[in-house]
Amino acid sequence: MDNFIEVVTEDGRKFKAEVIDIFSVDAYPDKDYIIYSFGEEVSADEEKVYISIVEKIDDQYRLLEISDPTEWSIVQEAIANTVENEGEVNE
């Protein structure tokens, strides 16, 4: 995927982030989640990724922290299931 967004911090700093995926989970149907990266390498073949809630207000979007432990657990499970299913398709 070659999609990028501009992330603006509360103090006005701007960063370019690559959008890896946008998804929803059944348990929170009114929310969308985004997986994104700033290109920070963890190892030679891995990048650090971030996951946030996407909130749309008028024509702008805000990225919000997932602060509820139950919600975070459900989101992690959805990501793990997606990765697992993609592995089965690609094998």
Side-chain angles (χ1 to χ4, degrees), residues 13-80:
R13 293 183 296 151
K14 297 178 181 181
F15 299 93
K16 183 177 177 181
E18 181 180 6
V19 176
I20 298 167
D21 196 12
I22 297 174
F23 64 97
S24 59
V25 295
D26 292 339
Y28 297 93
D30 296 334
K31 293 184 179 182
D32 289 318
Y33 301 90
I34 183 171
I35 303 173
Y36 57 102
S37 172
F38 293 109
E40 303 163 283
E41 286 190 11
V42 175
S43 66
D45 60 345
E46 292 183 83
E47 285 187 5
K48 184 173 185 177
V49 297
Y50 298 86
I51 303 164
S52 297
I53 299 166
V54 179
E55 179 181 78
K56 184 176 182 180
I57 301 174
D58 297 322
D59 289 334
Q60 294 192 334
Y61 295 89
R62 285 184 5 172
L63 302 180
L64 306 173
E65 179 182 358
I66 303 170
S67 57
D68 179 277
T70 303
E71 181 178 7
W72 177 237
S73 178
I74 290 169
V75 168
Q76 285 179 306
E77 184 176 320
I79 293 167

Side-chain angles (χ1 to χ4, degrees), residues 76-91:
Q76 285 179 306
E77 184 176 320
I79 293 167
N81 288 338
T82 300
V83 169
E84 184 176 295
N85 290 336
E86 285 178 0
E88 290 173 6
V89 171
N90 294 328
E91 289 179 359

